[in-house]
Amino acid sequence: MPRLYVITDSASAQSATGSLITTVREAMQAGARFFQLRDKQVEWPTLQTIGQQLTEIAGSTETIWLTNTHTRSVMLPGFDGVHRPGYGLSIAELRERLGSAAIIGVSTHSLEEAIEAEEQGATFVTISPVFLSASKPGYGPALHLEGLAQVARNLTIPVYALGGISPENTLDCLHAGAYGVAIMGGIMGAANPGDATLQYLGAIQSFDSVNS
């Protein structure tokens, strides 16, 4: 799975580039290949339209698309799975509905939640907030690198660091044991999403080149 996980936010993208589609297209052109369509205020028919547009701009690239399960616990056409918040249907129920091949990500905010998600069959987890972040308020104190490392040590599935992740601290997260980083505001709110994506990918590639 790609190490850079981009989470969409229509409001930030609208303010920064004028549209979510433009922001995602620029991130994709820069090399992003793993996205979660997360728009909790959008009605289902509109979300379906957006999902279709996103898969069309991806073309033949090997891009992974997930939708957030806040609306319906089903996959959008052309998508590869879902991302479940810390509530909702159990992973077993999602797996039954979506099939064994579906990717199921789960949001977690503690070691206990992360272990439970893995035991229930999650494909990967996000752990947050690693650092203080405007996009992840209300989820308790920051875990910092020590908390991230503890989660990474105790899981065998990929762990994505989320919350306050910048290109500068991406390397720190990877060295702490994170498989990858999950980014929303750092790319969605960037005036130049392509450049922002390249900065994150550059940090990841720097880590991989030393640790391959």
Side-chain angles (χ1 to χ4, degrees):
M1 292 173 63
R3 292 186 185 272
L4 177 62
Y5 182 30
V6 182
I7 303 171
T8 71
D9 177 45
S10 288
S12 297
Q14 183 72 32
S15 298
T17 68
S19 78
L20 176 64
I21 300 301
T22 297
T23 298
V24 171
R25 179 185 290 113
E26 292 186 15
M28 191 179 302
Q29 289 173 342
R33 292 292 180 267
F34 188 15
F35 293 87
Q36 177 195 153
L37 176 55
R38 181 184 185 274
D39 276 290
K40 296 189 176 183
Q41 307 306 317
V42 175
E43 296 296 328
W44 182 250
T46 303
L47 198 69
Q48 287 180 299
T49 300
I50 295 172
Q52 180 179 359
Q53 291 174 316
L54 294 178
T55 54
E56 286 176 354
I57 66 174
S60 60
T61 63
E62 293 184 0
T63 302
I64 297 173
W65 298 97
L66 307 184
T67 185
N68 194 282
T69 59
H70 65 273
T71 44
R72 300 185 180 183
S73 296
V74 296
M75 289 190 292
L76 289 171
F79 275 50
D80 303 284
V82 299
H83 188 105
R84 196 201 76 179
Y87 54 87
L89 291 177
S90 70
I91 297 170
E93 290 175 295
L94 288 172
R95 185 69 66 193
E96 183 177 353
R97 292 187 180 200
L98 305 178
S100 60
I103 296 172
I104 299 177
V106 177
S107 296
T108 66
H109 309 288
S110 68
L111 173 62
E112 293 73 22
E113 289 181 2
I115 290 174
E116 181 180 10
E118 177 172 25
E119 290 176 344
Q120 291 183 359
T123 309
F124 72 94
V125 299
T126 58
I127 183 71
S128 67
V130 176
F131 306 108
L132 293 177
S133 168
S135 66
K136 299 296 292 183
Y139 289 99
L143 297 166
H144 300 292
L145 294 173
E146 295 81 2
L148 171 61
Q150 184 183 32
V151 172
R153 283 196 304 268
N154 285 277
L155 268 68
T156 60
I157 59 175
V159 174
Y160 286 80
L162 172 62
I165 310 300
S166 66
E168 292 74 25
N169 62 34
T170 290
L171 267 176
D172 294 330
C173 292
L174 297 177
H175 281 298
Y179 174 83
V181 292
I183 311 298
M184 186 162 65
I187 292 177
M188 289 291 112
N192 191 321
D195 283 352
T197 300
L198 287 173
Q199 290 181 47
Y200 284 105
L201 289 175
I204 292 168
Q205 290 164 2
S206 175
F207 176 83
D208 287 340
S209 65
V210 173
N211 293 276
S212 59

